[in-house]
Amino acid sequence: MNVILFSIIYLIVALTIVMYITWFERKFAARIQNRVGPYYVGRPHGWLQPLADVVKLMLKEDIVPKKADKTIFNIAPPLVFIGALLTFCVLPVAKGLYISDLAVGIIYFFAVSSLMIFGVFLAGWASNSKYALLSAFRAGAQVVSYEIPLILSALVPVVLAGSLRTSEIVRAQDIPFALYPVFGWVAFIIFLIAGLAEENKVPFDVPEAESELVAAYNVEYSGMKFALFYASEYAHILALAVLASILFLGGYRGFYPHVGPEWVWQVIWLFIKSFFMLCLFLLIRWSFVRIRIDRLLLFSWRILFPISLINLFLAAIWKIFF
Amino acid sequence: MKREKIKEELKLEETKDGFLVFKSSEFYHVMERIKKDFPYLSFITAVHFPQEKAFDVIYAFRNIDEPEIIFLKTKIKEEEKLPSAYKFYKGADWMEREIYDLFGIEFENHPDLRRIVLPEDWEGHPLRKDYPINKAPEKYDYRKKPVLRRED
Amino acid sequence: MEEKVKISEPEEEIILNMGPQHPSTHGVLRIILKLSGEKIVSAKPDIGYLHRGVEKLGETVTYVQFLPMLDRNDYLSATTNELGLVLAVEKLANIPVPERAQYIRVLFSELSRLASHLVWLGTFCLDLGGALGGGTSVFLFCFREREKILDIFEKMTGSRMHPHLMQYGGVRYDVYPGMDKDVKEILDLMEERINEYEEMLVNNPVFIDRTKGVGILPKEVAMEYGCSGPVLRGSGVKYDLRKAHPYSSYDKFDFEIPVGENGDVFDRFKVRMEEMRQSVRIVRQALEGLPEGPITSQMPVKVKVAVRTPPGEVYTAIESPRGELGYYICSDGKPNAYRLKIRAPSFSNLSVLPYLLKDHLVADIVAILGSLDPVFGDVDR
């Protein structure tokens, strides 16, 4: 019972944060571009803008194209959303504060986040639109290419920590901000790049390339179905940012004064680290132009894949001998 | 001046505004000669003269190396066809399509002579002088005519 | 990283209908693409969605009435549109133009060239980067500067986009007091910002990757298709009507014609960036050398038939931001033209699109189309 209550609270908090990530991104981008960003809804900083967006999307007409494959068309958005939400299960926010501490936590994370690509692919196929179809092809190719360096780089901390459990990995990073050997930092950079690509974010947003493919796999979706795609995208960003801080930045560990309950400080530390990762993602996103699909795939297979493989191998040797 | 040279070589007449007049039957011969010195096709256009039932078709070419422009003009009857300049200048493709669209002059050996700015089912050629300009346009009924057409 | 990924040839080709409502077709272009996977087998542009019959209008209304309509043609650089027709009519009717008016014309042509190229740079990067990404940043930066230039237009003529500055025989408005200070402020800012943008983009490996070697247009093809302006110069042809056939006392100004080498998207980008710098130079010279005197040789009369031309034919062309903008007038002595042909630069530049797009990837469409910089008011007329 306790677990269920906790997971409900956990998800609600996570989704609220996801909502406010959209607000934060808009403000962040606006500052880069000498704009103000959301302003009027919830003056003076547009605090209520995400809520207004949700209400707007809920009230919108739900359009299903006449020739779309209706069942699959309707299944796809929840599938993506569930995939994004399930990843939070294995992410501990403080010592002992997690929904489930699976023995295969990291593998579980990537397994369920791969569910998202099924949703994207189904959405692209079922929309009966050529833009969506092309985008689904691209998304498939991209995720297949970038999942491998992503997982290989995530395996480096796993090897060094000696466990697939997320809590174990955090515990292994005795000193805050993880003093991994150099392999850890190489893996971190690869994780960052591959994570951005996983995200379908600029500069790797080829499946979403709205200047080429309009709006890609979600071009035919409207209303809440679109909102599900949108929310799951940001939820996945959050999940990845949290995972990155758990794997590489020491998770919820940090310096804290011994005042108040310990878990509060741990949550704050995790929040700060994840927030830092998030800002890194956003900064890259708002300052680059898009890479072409063929260069994108080549980059993964010719550069990221070998480096991450060698890196993992060296990390394993280091682990055995030192 | 290459223009004077061409004028003498092809024995072209000159109008008072400096347009060289050639016969449409000599089209290929003239174009071949022009292409040598004037590799840049600037524009092709036409003027309609309803009283004479004739068109003036005007070609303008440029010489890039020595800044120079040459205007050629040919007169054709309304029902006459003109050879296409596409063989010599690829840019003639769209320019001739535009003339075909707006004047109804047909070009022989054009690779793809379709209307370009007006819809394919448009009636008449608007830049002709006998095109009625005060007529109210017909209301388009999408139930009678298909809105979309499938290409190829 | 040099060669492209070899995507095995699928048996079926997809026909993709890109546009006319599409975020990156710069207006209302429709391209019928035949795709083999991501590769373009053939592309057929379909234009005419913005056809307003401007040439027919030019035959039915008088010269005086027609002039403001031209602002709507190539709406990104309205002054150059007017300048073309004004020059044609003046040449046909032998109307003298005072030197001060000629300088003001040059000044505002170059200002609108700056504004137009800023819009081009912004939209080009927007196409490359996407509406939710780095491209938007450049887009908004460019529009910030453009707005300052449009403010000058507004102060001078009362209108930002459609100034209707030209008049047969001169210009309608004299410079307002304190304009040189305003303009100089913008020029100083622009010089700084152009360098900033170029640095930002040229040093970006992703941008170079997207533009270098993409959409190569050889010299000969560019000439055959009648491409002009930055598209022609990007292919390495040193041809600028301002130098080749100087009009409106452009021969008194000192500026250079930038040319590209390979004729790819990147070269066209470089040419336009350099052109902006040259425009700044010209505007500076025009401001410093602005002669005293009347701004028009004809008093502004509020009569529709104030201008008549003798029978005859004339063609004048000017260098608009997009290329050779020419007006052919066939007159029969009436206050309106018997036939008025607008030689639109965008039309010819766009006609090379099927040639350029062949064998490129879908992602390159936006880069190539953006580098041609068509304005659909100008293409469709």
Side-chain angles (χ1 to χ4, degrees):
Chain A
M1 196 58 217
N2 214 0
V3 174
I4 293 170
L5 192 69
F6 175 70
S7 23
I8 288 169
I9 294 170
Y10 190 116
L11 282 184
I12 287 173
V13 171
L15 283 178
T16 317
I17 292 175
V18 165
M19 246 164 67
Y20 274 89
I21 287 174
T22 63
W23 171 84
F24 176 71
E25 184 181 17
R26 287 167 76 172
K27 275 294 197 195
F28 189 84
R31 287 299 174 222
I32 289 179
Q33 298 167 350
N34 283 9
R35 291 187 286 121
V36 178
Y39 183 82
Y40 288 102
V41 189
R43 277 186 213 212
H45 295 294
W47 289 108
L48 297 176
Q49 188 66 46
L51 274 179
D53 282 347
V54 170
V55 172
K56 180 199 80 178
L57 284 167
M58 275 180 176
L59 293 178
K60 273 204 165 179
E61 187 191 352
D62 181 31
I63 300 165
V64 180
K66 205 174 178 183
K67 292 201 174 164
D69 192 333
K70 290 197 182 55
T71 333
I72 301 179
F73 187 84
N74 291 335
I75 285 175
L79 198 60
V80 176
F81 192 62
I82 290 168
L85 282 192
L86 281 180
T87 53
F88 283 100
C89 288
V90 289
L91 300 176
V93 286
K95 202 174 179 183
L97 267 182
Y98 42 72
I99 296 172
S100 160
D101 193 20
L102 285 178
V104 286
I106 300 295
I107 289 183
Y108 167 84
F109 183 93
F110 290 112
V112 290
S113 69
S114 302
L115 259 184
M116 288 177 70
I117 192 58
F118 283 109
V120 168
F121 208 82
L122 290 179
W125 171 255
S127 294
N128 192 30
S129 157
K130 281 166 190 164
Y131 289 122
L133 186 65
L134 272 178
S135 133
F137 288 160
R138 282 178 171 197
Q142 186 183 346
V143 169
V144 167
S145 310
Y146 276 85
E147 197 102 296
I148 294 166
L150 185 73
I151 294 174
L152 284 180
S153 60
L155 280 183
V156 172
V158 169
V159 167
L160 293 174
S163 171
L164 279 165
R165 248 180 239 274
T166 41
S167 55
E168 281 290 332
I169 291 169
V170 174
R171 201 173 303 137
Q173 302 174 50
D174 284 328
I175 308 156
F177 295 114
L179 282 185
Y180 278 131
V182 65
F183 320 114
W185 293 104
V186 174
F188 177 60
I189 292 165
I190 294 172
F191 188 88
L192 200 67
I193 299 170
L196 265 171
E198 255 284 284
E199 248 6 280
N200 302 338
K201 283 284 156 218
V202 180
F204 304 106
D205 70 333
V206 278
E208 247 178 63
E210 69 293 302
S211 57
E212 298 148 25
L213 301 180
V214 192
Y217 53 84
N218 50 28
V219 64
E220 300 289 352
Y221 285 90
S222 65
M224 263 333 266
K225 282 179 196 154
F226 172 75
L228 284 183
F229 276 119
Y230 197 70
S232 51
E233 191 185 311
Y234 282 90
H236 197 52
I237 292 182
L238 181 66
L240 266 189
V242 174
L243 184 70
S245 49
I246 285 172
L247 284 178
F248 299 99
L249 302 178
Y252 47 76
R253 300 178 74 123
F255 301 106
Y256 35 79
H258 293 279
V259 190
E262 206 179 31
W263 64 270
V264 175
W265 291 103
Q266 287 175 338
V267 169
I268 290 174
W269 267 110
L270 186 71
F271 184 79
I272 291 171
K273 286 169 184 174
S274 309
F275 189 71
F276 167 73
M277 290 300 303
L278 198 72
C279 289
L280 215 55
F281 281 140
L282 293 185
L283 193 63
I284 294 172
R285 174 174 184 178
W286 287 96
S287 41
F288 277 94
V289 295
R290 187 181 305 120
I291 300 178
R292 214 169 57 195
I293 177 91
D294 58 330
R295 300 298 171 94
L296 184 77
L297 301 184
L298 279 183
F299 181 67
S300 168
W301 290 109
R302 289 217 184 136
I303 295 174
L304 284 188
F305 176 60
I307 289 178
S308 55
L309 201 61
I310 291 166
N311 188 41
L312 179 63
F313 185 66
L314 290 177
I317 290 175
W318 194 86
K319 174 77 179 167
I320 294 168
F321 291 105
F322 298 99
Chain B
M1 293 292 268
K2 285 184 170 149
R3 182 172 166 277
E4 307 302 322
K5 234 163 102 187
I6 284 176
K7 189 186 157 194
E8 273 164 32
E9 237 174 80
L10 298 172
K11 296 190 186 66
L12 302 173
E13 283 173 39
E14 190 175 348
T15 66
K16 73 172 173 61
D17 298 306
F19 288 63
L20 303 179
V21 180
F22 70 98
K23 287 193 196 82
S24 58
S25 53
E26 289 171 353
F27 185 85
Y28 285 114
H29 178 60
V30 172
M31 283 295 152
E32 219 164 320
R33 177 67 191 83
I34 297 272
K35 177 84 202 268
K36 275 183 205 155
D37 285 338
F38 293 85
Y40 183 96
L41 173 64
S42 183
F43 70 93
I44 307 173
T45 189
V47 186
H48 187 212
F49 295 103
Q51 298 89 355
E52 304 164 39
K53 288 204 182 302
F55 291 108
D56 273 3
V57 181
I58 291 147
Y59 294 81
F61 304 96
R62 281 181 187 278
N63 184 357
I64 298 287
D65 305 324
E66 306 155 34
E68 202 183 348
I69 187 162
I70 185 169
F71 300 103
L72 294 179
K73 192 188 236 182
T74 184
K75 228 176 182 57
I76 54 164
K77 287 276 158 215
E78 258 179 16
E79 61 283 355
E80 238 178 298
K81 284 182 181 175
L82 199 66
S84 165
Y86 180 76
K87 205 177 136 196
F88 305 97
Y89 299 92
K90 296 271 159 37
D93 180 1
W94 278 27
M95 297 175 190
E96 284 172 352
R97 271 177 71 186
E98 195 190 348
I99 294 174
Y100 165 73
D101 189 355
L102 301 176
F103 285 93
I105 302 173
E106 282 185 32
F107 290 89
E108 281 166 354
N109 300 328
H110 188 281
D112 182 22
L113 200 62
R114 287 180 291 131
R115 283 187 181 272
I116 186 162
V117 287
L118 295 177
E120 232 136 86
D121 48 3
W122 192 271
E123 281 163 21
H125 301 283
L127 280 185
R128 284 186 181 219
K129 285 284 163 189
D130 48 15
Y131 186 81
I133 50 171
N134 289 330
K135 196 181 76 177
E138 235 177 272
K139 252 195 183 167
Y140 197 89
D141 193 351
Y142 66 91
R143 280 161 299 195
K144 281 182 194 151
K145 288 176 184 171
V147 179
L148 290 172
R149 60 177 191 276
R150 203 179 165 80
E151 293 277 344
D152 307 293
Chain C
M1 290 284 286
E2 262 67 54
E3 73 262 51
K4 291 170 185 165
V5 172
K6 285 182 187 64
I7 300 164
S8 59
E9 299 282 322
E11 299 201 337
E12 231 181 302
E13 285 167 351
I14 310 176
I15 292 171
L16 184 67
N17 202 352
M18 198 170 171
Q21 277 91 31
H22 188 279
S24 62
T25 50
H26 287 240
V28 281
L29 172 67
R30 171 178 171 222
I31 313 175
I32 301 149
L33 294 167
K34 220 179 246 175
L35 298 177
S36 160
E38 284 264 340
K39 214 167 104 193
I40 298 162
V41 179
S42 76
K44 262 193 206 170
D46 184 6
I47 61 171
Y49 289 91
L50 209 62
H51 180 64
R52 310 175 307 286
V54 172
E55 290 177 12
K56 188 78 180 173
L57 265 174
E59 293 169 16
T60 46
V61 300
T62 65
Y63 293 120
V64 179
Q65 288 173 314
F66 188 48
L67 201 50
M69 286 179 195
L70 282 176
D71 282 356
R72 280 83 181 156
N73 228 6
D74 175 356
Y75 40 80
L76 293 182
S77 69
T79 14
T80 48
N81 281 304
E82 297 168 15
L83 183 57
L85 181 69
V86 161
L87 286 175
V89 173
E90 279 161 3
K91 192 175 169 193
L92 192 59
N94 263 327
I95 303 172
V97 184
E99 207 178 354
R100 187 179 173 82
Q102 289 186 8
Y103 267 65
I104 293 175
R105 284 177 180 186
V106 168
L107 206 159
F108 278 87
S109 299
E110 294 305 320
L111 276 181
S112 61
R113 188 186 310 275
L114 270 175
S116 166
H117 279 357
L118 277 174
V119 175
W120 160 78
L121 181 64
T123 49
F124 178 59
C125 292
L126 186 70
D127 289 350
L128 287 182
L132 293 172
T136 336
S137 307
V138 183
F139 176 74
L140 286 160
F141 295 154
C142 289
F143 268 62
R144 180 183 62 191
E145 263 76 74
R146 174 180 179 251
E147 207 55 40
K148 295 205 164 99
I149 295 174
L150 293 184
D151 280 349
I152 299 263
F153 275 94
E154 189 180 2
K155 268 188 175 175
M156 174 96 170
T157 66
S159 174
R160 287 165 69 248
M161 295 274 288
H162 308 299
H164 190 192
L165 178 72
M166 309 289 172
Q167 182 199 338
Y168 302 103
V171 288
R172 287 174 70 211
Y173 306 97
D174 203 349
V175 291
Y176 61 87
M179 188 177 113
D180 49 345
K181 200 175 133 272
D182 284 3
V183 174
K184 267 182 190 141
E185 210 171 277
I186 289 172
L187 295 183
D188 291 342
L189 187 77
M190 281 302 299
E191 265 173 356
E192 200 183 297
R193 291 278 158 79
I194 294 167
N195 290 337
E196 197 183 315
Y197 297 150
E198 188 161 8
E199 224 168 80
M200 185 165 85
L201 292 168
V202 170
N203 293 336
N204 185 336
V206 181
F207 181 80
I208 299 289
D209 200 47
R210 286 294 303 275
T211 52
K212 267 217 170 128
V214 173
I216 294 174
L217 180 64
K219 234 183 211 181
E220 296 73 32
V221 181
M223 282 202 245
E224 270 193 14
Y225 273 96
C227 297
S228 51
V231 179
L232 183 68
R233 289 194 283 277
S235 300
V237 183
K238 199 167 183 169
Y239 190 75
D240 190 317
L241 287 167
R242 290 175 292 178
K243 284 262 192 216
H245 302 278
Y247 56 89
S248 197
S249 65
Y250 259 112
D251 42 350
K252 289 175 192 154
F253 292 92
D254 176 32
F255 61 98
E256 276 146 35
I257 310 171
V259 283
E261 286 160 22
N262 310 319
D264 53 10
V265 172
F266 184 72
D267 277 358
R268 295 195 273 275
F269 161 78
K270 282 289 260 190
V271 165
R272 285 204 178 91
M273 292 307 274
E274 192 53 41
E275 248 178 44
M276 275 156 76
R277 290 204 188 95
Q278 299 301 331
S279 289
V280 171
R281 267 179 78 188
I282 298 172
V283 175
R284 268 190 209 287
Q285 290 169 37
L287 266 185
E288 276 157 24
L290 194 65
E292 291 298 316
I295 51 161
T296 172
S297 62
Q298 297 199 323
M299 286 311 288
V301 228
K302 283 184 180 161
V303 188
K304 282 191 219 160
V305 289
V307 176
R308 265 174 203 278
T309 55
E313 285 164 291
V314 73
Y315 175 75
T316 56
I318 64 155
E319 185 76 24
S320 95
R322 265 148 274 283
E324 179 191 342
L325 174 66
Y327 287 85
Y328 163 81
I329 296 175
C330 176
S331 164
D332 55 355
K334 288 205 184 100
N336 58 337
Y338 183 74
R339 162 93 177 103
L340 197 144
K341 151 86 183 167
I342 302 166
R343 192 267 185 216
S346 306
F347 182 80
S348 294
N349 286 354
L350 193 70
S351 70
V352 82
L353 195 64
Y355 174 87
L356 284 180
L357 285 187
K358 203 158 183 286
D359 291 337
H360 276 91
L361 298 179
V362 176
D364 292 330
I365 298 173
V366 290
I368 291 170
L369 187 66
S371 76
L372 295 178
D373 190 20
V375 167
F376 278 82
D378 200 22
V379 174
D380 296 341
R381 280 158 291 149

